Amino acid sequence: PLSPQTITCKAAVAWGPGEPMSIEEVQVAPPQPMEVRIKVVATTICRSDITLWESRGHIPIFPRIFGHEATGIVESVGEGVTDLREGDHVLTVFQGECKKCRHCKSDKSNACETLGVEGNGLMHSDQKTRFSINGKPIYHFVGVSSFSEYTVVHSECVVKLSPDVPLGKISVLGCSVATGFGAAWKIANVGKGSTVVIFGLGAVGLAVAQGAKLRGASRIIGVDINPDKFERGKIFGVTEFINPNDYKQPTQEVVKEITTGGADYCFECVGNVELMRTALESCCDGWGMAVLIGVPSGKMELSAHYGPLLNGRTLKGTLLGGWKTRSELPMLVEMYMKKEIQIDEYVTHELPFADINKGYQLMKEGKCLRCVLHV
Ligand code: FXY
Ligand code: ZN
């Protein structure tokens, strides 16, 4: 077969922190060894696409193409790729699974050493970019950059989908929804009859609620300063709500009171270091666990009194809910196909790709859980 050529296509390029993205013609280089080039079909906007675009407290890397929750079709494959071919349907992930490193070999970790979160805006394999505009490099985002008609990703950073899986909304399984489910099932291992507190009722927080409900949690308390989130929360299993603005006392005291001593599990799904502390302080002694999920913006360091930890509490963090992407995410896809888990409900808005800035706005206003961009 002819070797793949450079493609010119449209992509949403972010030129600087917080600057509206513009749809530009970009050149997409052919996939290098072990990479695949994908025609993006659908991509959803995740809070991290906004957090890193705003770059508060993070190193600004621009010009850049954001996007990491996506589905697409393999357009071409690079040298050495044997398990994917042109036409395959795939889900992209920001954390790959090489299956060879110490972490991939351990059943305790999903933090692949070779294909972990790429933070330099480059490709894992050669620290170069595949995007350019007239020879000027355009940087990647976490090795995915799905806000483009075509993108190049490492072949071990995709989950193969069977052709009968609808590509529209399942992109949320590439990050948010998988993260929430995994945080509840795998990381906290929420038990029957337990009490759970979820800080932040966006897509991740609601996926934690759905996961905890499936595990038989009896009280699922949602905390959010936006009361619009409460009605929707019920659909995902939230049983009680706390709006911190309705109370004089700090939230951890409210939780302590209504749970007589603290919750079994607390999940931080916002990305705020003060709230991470609140989550730890809302747990009960002995076995209470605070799971940190949100990617912070602004202040990066968290502080807390050591006492609760000595008293037996656990502070734990997770990326992608602990799932090993290529080997474990297909199970969630199957559960969705068997209607054992809800996925479509997380998609509240759909827009054409060209309206990406409108999608960002909807997310920032807290009006939307997930907005699918049809590319
Ligand atoms: O949305 C979930 N994960 C992000 C893609 C991870 C961002 C980590 C930020 C550090 C570069
Ligand atoms: Zn994400």
Side-chain angles (χ1 to χ4, degrees):
L2 287 170
S3 50
Q5 303 297 303
T6 293
I7 286 177
T8 297
C9 71
K10 291 196 163 70
V13 177
W15 291 99
E19 278 177 40
M21 284 158 285
S22 56
I23 306 287
E24 309 274 358
E25 299 255 296
V26 300
Q27 280 79 50
V28 188
Q32 296 306 295
M34 294 311 287
E35 294 175 350
V36 293
R37 190 163 56 187
I38 296 169
K39 182 174 195 326
V40 178
V41 171
T43 180
T44 29
I45 304 166
C46 170
R47 191 75 212 188
S48 307
D49 295 311
I50 298 180
T51 300
L52 276 289
W53 167 69
E54 289 177 336
S55 298
R56 284 187 288 120
H58 295 270
I59 300 165
I61 297 171
F62 292 92
R64 195 175 205 184
I65 297 170
F66 286 97
H68 60 284
E69 282 190 352
T71 58
I73 301 168
V74 174
E75 175 270 338
S76 59
V77 302
E79 232 177 271
V81 177
T82 54
D83 55 351
L84 289 168
R85 52 179 151 167
E86 191 185 320
D88 279 348
H89 291 192
V90 292
L91 173 74
T92 59
V93 283
F94 66 84
Q95 177 147 268
E97 183 187 355
C98 75
K99 302 192 179 179
K100 293 198 261 297
C101 73
R102 190 161 68 109
H103 287 262
C104 286
K105 281 185 173 155
S106 158
D107 61 7
K108 292 190 186 71
S109 172
N110 70 340
C112 176
E113 264 171 8
T114 36
L115 299 166
V117 181
E118 206 295 319
N120 300 320
L122 302 166
M123 290 303 282
H124 286 101
S125 57
D126 60 3
Q127 296 289 293
K128 291 196 172 109
T129 71
R130 304 287 174 263
F131 294 112
S132 58
I133 294 180
N134 303 324
K136 183 176 159 31
I138 307 293
Y139 293 96
H140 295 249
F141 180 53
V142 293
V144 179
S145 292
S146 54
F147 296 156
S148 177
E149 290 176 326
Y150 288 87
T151 188
V152 175
V153 300
H154 195 283
S155 62
E156 291 162 345
C157 293
V158 302
V159 177
K160 195 163 153 176
L161 299 170
S162 109
D164 57 321
V165 177
L167 293 183
K169 295 172 178 159
I170 206 162
S171 56
V172 298
L173 269 187
C175 180
S176 51
V177 176
T179 302
F181 284 163
W185 298 348
K186 237 180 130 81
I187 305 297
N189 194 16
V190 167
K192 218 173 151 43
S194 53
T195 296
V196 168
V197 181
I198 301 164
F199 296 85
L201 298 178
V204 172
L206 295 174
V208 170
Q210 198 189 148
K213 182 184 173 183
L214 278 161
R215 278 307 191 80
S218 52
R219 294 180 73 186
I220 302 174
I221 304 165
V223 180
D224 205 299
I225 50 171
N226 177 355
D228 298 348
K229 304 262 172 121
F230 295 170
E231 215 33 60
R232 187 156 51 203
K234 292 179 189 165
I235 303 165
F236 296 87
V238 180
T239 60
E240 293 160 64
F241 297 96
I242 296 174
N243 181 345
N245 294 334
D246 293 344
Y247 295 88
K248 274 205 203 78
Q249 316 127 270
T251 307
Q252 53 272 50
E253 276 171 31
V254 179
V255 172
K256 278 241 146 96
E257 212 172 286
I258 65 171
T259 59
T260 46
D264 299 303
Y265 309 101
C266 291
F267 297 86
E268 201 278 354
C269 311
V270 173
N272 176 306
V273 293
E274 311 302 338
L275 203 54
M276 293 177 182
R277 177 189 185 136
T278 304
L280 178 65
E281 292 177 350
S282 302
C283 293
C284 65
D285 281 336
W287 60 81
M289 181 190 277
V291 183
L292 310 187
I293 307 174
V295 176
S297 170
K299 194 169 170 236
M300 297 288 152
E301 274 173 22
L302 75 119
S303 72
H305 197 275
Y306 72 93
L309 296 165
L310 259 59
N311 271 318
R313 299 187 206 183
T314 303
L315 185 60
K316 172 91 183 152
T318 179
L319 270 182
L320 260 168
W323 301 113
K324 287 182 186 288
T325 44
R326 290 198 295 149
S327 50
E328 297 183 320
L329 291 185
M331 183 195 81
L332 294 184
V333 176
E334 246 170 69
M335 289 180 80
Y336 166 68
M337 293 303 278
K338 289 193 214 142
K339 300 203 173 359
E340 292 168 2
I341 51 173
Q342 301 161 233
I343 296 286
D344 298 346
E345 286 73 3
Y346 294 93
V347 176
T348 53
H349 296 75
E350 302 195 45
L351 288 173
F353 179 47
D355 289 343
I356 183 167
N357 290 303
K358 209 185 277 175
Y360 262 54
Q361 202 50 40
L362 285 167
M363 287 288 285
K364 285 180 64 168
E365 287 166 1
K367 290 206 173 109
C368 132
L369 289 179
R370 276 295 178 269
C371 176
V372 173
L373 300 171
H374 294 282
V375 184

